[in-house]
Each structure stands twice: as structure tokens, then as C-alpha cells.
Amino acid sequence: VDQELVTRAQRGDESAFADIAYAIGDRLFTVAHRILRDIDLAEDATQQAIVAIWRELPGLRDPARFEAWSYRVVVNACYAQARAERRRSSSLRVLETDHSSGDPQLSVAGRDQLERGFRRLPPEQRAVLVLQHYLDLTLPQIAELLGVPTGTVRSRLHYARRAMRAALEADARPALSGSRPS
Amino acid sequence: MTHERDLDHMLDRWMDDGPTVVADRVIAAAMTDVHTTRQRDARWAPLKELFI
């Protein structure tokens, strides 16, 4: 994003901010969707994040940090959406998984296992997985982006990866737990 | 046993799946909200930045 646009938007220029919003909308939405795994929730988080970015923009001291800062705002919007969604539905929501597209080398079963495992993670753990695997950020970069210590990121990643591995392995051996040979 | 490298590989590929373009109506709705939202006073900004 052009830093001149950011500076103008910081001074209240809505037209400059509209250019920014259209420029960053796709990447905010893409990250929100990877965290929330739901298009409606991701759209709500994106809208909420754009408004929060506008509201808080005067507080951004270094316009060069705009991109990382905007990711932090959308991650926080995802946390809020996930909390609101949890309050709305106490029962497990059946979400459709689109298998019509995607990497053909990743099997449908593999995607289902990842989807199920990921949905069980708290949003804070989902976010670090997305930042590491989708945005290819390092642990210190994730820590800086989220404003938490590197140790916290490492811990969240550890538990998230352990849960994902468990989900994959549990689904890989369904016969062992349920049936006994006669 | 799922090896670390296999898990990394699966997560990388899985995260690449999914929509990458937001509907214009989402940005338009956000800009409508922006129009009626006041920006925070910059004098309070350095403190606020610590928390967002």
C-alpha cells in the first residue's frame, strides 16, 4: 500500500482510505477465511477490520508498518467473530466443505481430517497456524504482528500442531478403536 | 505417525485452498460504516497502539 495514501487517510481523507480498503480487502478476507473457515464470518470480520483500521489509523506511528498492523487488526476481528459465533451456537454447526476445487494432491479425506482438526482449535491457535503456513511468517514475525511474546507463539503452535496431528492420526485408524476381530 | 514435514506440507497445501477474492459489497458496506465512524484522536494513539 502506498505510504502517501496511508498518511492521507491518517489525516481523515476518506477517498484515500477507500483506495486502501479496496487494495487490502482481498488479503484481509483471505486470511480471515483461513482462520474462520466460513465465508459469511470472514466477510463480517473483513468489514469489521476495515472500519477498525480507519478508526485507529491515526495511532499508527510508522506508515511503513501498515501491512503488518492491518493483519493484526483482522486477526483481532477474527477472534471477535469466533467468540460471537461460539455464543450464537452452542451446538456444533455443520459447515459445508467445498471439495470441488483445491489441490488434487491433497485427498478429500485428508482435507476433511484437516478441516475437522482445525475447527476444534481455539482461534488463537488457528491464527498462528495461518500466519505460519499461509503467510509464511517466522515465529518472531508472528510474535511482532500479534503483539505477544515469541514463547507464546511457540506454545500456541505446539498445541495446534499436536491437535492437528492427533486429528489426522485418529482418522487414519478408525478400525482399531471401534471393532474387535472375531 | 504423521511426520513434522508431512504435516507442514499438508497444512501448506490445505491453506492454499479457498476463496481469495472478497465481494465488492463487503468493502462497500465497510466504507458506508467508515463514513459514519470518527477516527480516534491521534493524541491518544500511542497508548492505544499498544493494545490493538
Side-chain angles (χ1 to χ4, degrees), chain A residues 34 72 103 161 165 169, chain B residues 2 4 8 13 19 52:
Chain A
R34 268 53 179 184
R72 183 193 293 200
D103 190 330
R161 292 176 63 89
R165 215 179 296 116
E169 287 165 7
Chain B
T2 307
E4 291 299 304
D8 282 333
R13 288 182 174 280
I52 58 172

Side-chain angles (χ1 to χ4, degrees), chain A residues 3-107:
Chain A
Q3 287 184 34
E4 171 64 25
L5 278 179
V6 174
T7 306
R8 280 171 48 202
Q10 283 186 302
R11 295 189 196 119
D13 184 335
E14 273 186 44
S15 160
F17 187 72
D19 289 347
I20 294 172
Y22 279 97
I24 65 173
D26 286 345
R27 62 180 174 79
L28 295 184
F29 169 74
T30 303
V31 167
H33 179 267
R34 268 53 179 184
I35 294 173
L36 295 164
R37 310 301 301 173
D38 180 281
I39 288 176
D40 292 338
L41 293 179
E43 287 182 347
D44 287 349
T46 303
Q47 183 175 340
Q48 195 179 87
I50 289 171
V51 177
I53 288 169
W54 163 256
R55 192 176 54 238
E56 307 296 344
L57 196 52
L60 180 66
R61 278 168 290 186
D62 180 4
R65 286 183 55 226
F66 177 80
E67 187 174 345
W69 177 74
S70 67
Y71 279 129
R72 183 193 293 200
V73 176
V74 79
V75 167
N76 284 338
C78 288
Y79 292 165
Q81 282 297 322
R83 280 193 295 269
E85 180 62 13
R86 202 179 308 151
R87 281 196 297 271
R88 270 196 296 270
S89 61
S90 54
S91 60
L92 190 65
R93 198 171 156 203
V94 179
L95 291 155
E96 294 151 22
T97 305
D98 179 11
H99 296 308
S100 60
S101 61
D103 190 330
Q105 291 185 42
L106 195 57
S107 69

Side-chain angles (χ1 to χ4, degrees), chain A residues 121 125 153-164:
Chain A
L121 300 179
Q125 291 179 16
V153 174
R154 189 176 289 112
S155 164
R156 288 178 186 173
L157 268 178
H158 169 76
Y159 287 110
R161 292 176 63 89
R162 192 172 73 175
M164 294 301 286

